[in-house]
Amino acid sequence: MPDQSIPQARRTPDPALREPGAGSGRGVSRRALLGTAGATGLVLGAAGGAVGYAAVPAQVTPLTSLGSGRAMFHGKHQPGITEGLQARGHLVAFDLVAGAGRKEAAALLRRWSSAAERLMAGEAAPHDDTDVARDAGPSSLTVTFGFGHSFFARTGLDKQRPAALDPLPDFSSDQLDKARSDGDLWVQIGADDALVAFHALRAVQKEAGGAARVRWQMNGFNRSPGATAHPMTARNLMGQIDGTRNPKPAEADFDRRIFVPAAGEPAWMANGSYAVVRRIRMLLDDWEKLSLSGQEAVIGRRKADGAPLSGGGETTPMDLEKADAKGEYVVPLSAHARITRPDQNGGAAMLRRPFSYHDGIDPDGTPDAGLLFVCWQADPLRGFVPVQRKLDRGDALSRFIRHEASGLFAVPGGAAEGEYVGQRLLEG
């Protein structure tokens, strides 16, 4: 006997809900019902029960601005470098399996590029889509690919390995876990929605097929866009504003400092960049025992607004010579912000684009949390290395952090229409 509590009008399927090939013969894309769940919840709240569900309007609710953001896969540079920080990120390194070489690597990058292009457009994965992101828009998804030092020997391309990809030197603060460092291939995934990011991670892993296996994988996050009353520089897990002096794309020398020139060497790296990846654990229990003034002295900036201790606002140039009534520098000599300034490091500059992470709590109650540090530069030997060497020699922050994993990857320029990432290397 029919359930009389459900209005008869709902017995005719909504055309928008028909399976592909039904009725008119026109299917609905996997994104066609975007936002409907949100409308459903509102109606249920107002009417309640099955009657409320039956009363859901047929029209599609538009995406919010958060879900509609879209980055382009094809371009001069790969995505995921100059875009703003995303709310969720995954970093994953792969090693080619035994017996896999240049041919298998080319096929893999072709598959990965095809999947990334589709996913960044808000479409289904090319094979066996999991439906994890079915109801979401692109959500500013970016997928970025890079090659590690070991990749070139594995594929017989040693002569094409850039000199800038030489292994990073040892630093005194390093306590690196080799199992979570380096790798033949590196993938960076970022999105403003956690399910969209995971969906991309799963697709990348599945598309690796029998050619590559995961070496290590790390999950990160940032503040969600729109969570603050106005756009502002991000905060890290120490509560500090982090990234104030990042190079800006509008600056005249930005490309020179961050990207390999079009005429650079090797040729396949034209318009590419080098990514240094570090898992930096923050010793938060020790940090949080410091007074506010103690924390600010370590960083060299006010915690509330990121302004230098020498005065002004966040973007006010730091006065390194300013002294207090006792004749002591207002910004201590060991302050992190003083040591990392480009003008204190021969102009060395890098674009920091990190994610915070939290991987649980140790048995002793210590949080395993910190920063998945990712920085971009045209040459790490002129960007990351000199700054890190100087930090090694006297950074006050070093007492409160521990570098636990590291990697350096060559990230080629963006793929043109019809190309896959790395094609100029693998087929050149």
Side-chain angles (χ1 to χ4, degrees), residues 341-420:
R341 283 170 56 100
D343 57 6
Q344 301 294 302
N345 294 280
M350 50 194 167
L351 176 65
R352 290 171 290 154
R353 198 174 181 276
F355 293 94
S356 293
Y357 79 86
H358 180 223
D359 288 341
I361 299 174
D362 291 347
D364 64 358
T366 303
D368 183 2
L371 198 69
L372 300 181
F373 176 88
V374 182
C375 72
W376 301 89
Q377 58 258 282
D379 184 349
L381 297 180
R382 297 181 180 179
F384 174 78
V385 171
V387 175
Q388 186 59 36
R389 277 178 170 156
K390 194 167 184 180
L391 290 171
D392 249 15
R393 294 194 294 267
D395 179 23
L397 185 60
S398 63
R399 293 171 44 215
F400 304 97
I401 60 175
R402 186 164 64 227
H403 292 245
E404 296 185 335
S406 179
L408 171 61
F409 303 95
V411 177
E417 292 281 351
E419 287 187 348
Y420 63 87

Side-chain angles (χ1 to χ4, degrees), residues 85-162:
L85 296 181
Q86 293 138 306
R88 189 68 179 177
H90 301 292
L91 308 180
V92 55
F94 291 82
D95 285 335
L96 294 172
V97 301
R102 181 174 177 176
K103 178 181 177 181
E104 290 77 14
L108 172 57
L109 267 296
R110 189 180 295 113
R111 293 196 302 273
W112 273 353
S113 296
S114 175
E117 181 179 8
R118 291 176 61 93
L119 295 171
M120 286 173 55
E123 300 174 4
H127 305 107
D128 301 321
D129 189 82
T130 62
D131 283 340
V132 172
R134 181 183 183 91
D135 310 301
S139 299
S140 301
L141 173 69
T142 60
V143 186
T144 317
F145 304 103
F147 305 113
H149 184 277
S150 56
F151 175 82
F152 296 85
R154 300 291 301 275
T155 54
L157 292 165
D158 301 77
K159 293 182 179 179
Q160 290 295 323
R161 185 175 61 229

Side-chain angles (χ1 to χ4, degrees), residues 12-25:
T12 301
D14 189 324
L17 300 176
R18 289 175 181 155
E19 293 295 323
S24 66

Side-chain angles (χ1 to χ4, degrees), residues 55-409:
V56 175
Q59 67 268 23
V60 174
T61 303
L63 280 170
T64 67
S65 59
L66 187 68
S68 63
R70 180 181 174 185
M72 296 294 106
F73 175 75
H74 295 292
K76 183 178 180 180
H77 310 297
Q78 284 198 59
I81 302 175
T82 60
E83 287 84 0
L85 296 181
Q86 293 138 306
R88 189 68 179 177
H90 301 292
L91 308 180
V92 55
F94 291 82
D95 285 335
L96 294 172
V97 301
R102 181 174 177 176
K103 178 181 177 181
E104 290 77 14
L108 172 57
L109 267 296
R110 189 180 295 113
R111 293 196 302 273
W112 273 353
S113 296
S114 175
E117 181 179 8
R118 291 176 61 93
L119 295 171
M120 286 173 55
E123 300 174 4
H127 305 107
D128 301 321
D129 189 82
T130 62
D131 283 340
V132 172
R134 181 183 183 91
D135 310 301
S139 299
S140 301
L141 173 69
T142 60
V143 186
T144 317
F145 304 103
F147 305 113
H149 184 277
S150 56
F151 175 82
F152 296 85
R154 300 291 301 275
T155 54
L157 292 165
D158 301 77
K159 293 182 179 179
Q160 290 295 323
R161 185 175 61 229
L165 201 58
D166 286 351
L168 296 173
D170 294 330
F171 300 106
S172 63
S173 59
D174 286 352
Q175 298 183 37
L176 304 182
D177 178 356
K178 292 184 178 180
R180 292 195 294 183
S181 300
D182 303 317
D184 294 343
L185 293 152
W186 175 67
V187 185
Q188 174 192 251
I189 295 167
D192 284 337
D193 179 77
L195 290 181
V196 169
F198 176 83
H199 180 246
L201 174 66
R202 189 74 179 111
V204 165
Q205 181 190 3
K206 292 171 69 175
E207 291 292 340
R213 293 288 181 267
V214 173
R215 177 181 176 88
W216 54 259
Q217 192 258 317
M218 302 174 188
N219 307 313
F221 58 92
N222 285 304
R223 174 170 277 159
S224 298
T228 56
H230 53 81
M232 60 179 294
T233 309
R235 290 187 185 273
N236 59 36
L237 297 189
M238 287 179 162
Q240 300 290 149
I241 289 180
D242 190 350
T244 297
R245 290 187 58 84
N246 248 349
K248 306 295 190 296
E251 295 171 358
D253 61 349
F254 180 85
D255 279 7
R256 177 182 63 80
R257 301 162 96 180
I258 306 305
F259 294 109
V260 176
E265 292 293 337
W268 65 267
M269 271 296 289
N271 302 312
S273 188
Y274 292 91
V276 174
V277 181
R278 309 277 280 184
R279 184 183 192 270
I280 304 176
R281 183 162 178 167
M282 294 176 173
L283 309 180
L284 294 177
D285 285 346
D286 295 335
W287 173 256
E288 290 163 5
K289 291 175 184 176
L290 286 179
S291 65
L292 175 60
S293 61
Q295 293 179 353
E296 292 179 337
V298 167
I299 302 299
R301 291 182 176 274
R302 293 200 300 259
K303 194 172 185 178
D305 57 8
L309 297 184
S310 54
E314 181 187 352
T315 59
T316 301
M318 185 174 288
D319 183 354
L320 299 181
E321 302 302 320
K322 186 173 182 179
D324 60 19
K326 297 179 181 179
E328 297 178 352
Y329 287 121
V330 173
V331 180
L333 290 173
S334 61
H336 184 75
R338 175 190 282 267
I339 294 175
T340 57
R341 283 170 56 100
D343 57 6
Q344 301 294 302
N345 294 280
M350 50 194 167
L351 176 65
R352 290 171 290 154
R353 198 174 181 276
F355 293 94
S356 293
Y357 79 86
H358 180 223
D359 288 341
I361 299 174
D362 291 347
D364 64 358
T366 303
D368 183 2
L371 198 69
L372 300 181
F373 176 88
V374 182
C375 72
W376 301 89
Q377 58 258 282
D379 184 349
L381 297 180
R382 297 181 180 179
F384 174 78
V385 171
V387 175
Q388 186 59 36
R389 277 178 170 156
K390 194 167 184 180
L391 290 171
D392 249 15
R393 294 194 294 267
D395 179 23
L397 185 60
S398 63
R399 293 171 44 215
F400 304 97
I401 60 175
R402 186 164 64 227
H403 292 245
E404 296 185 335
S406 179
L408 171 61
F409 303 95

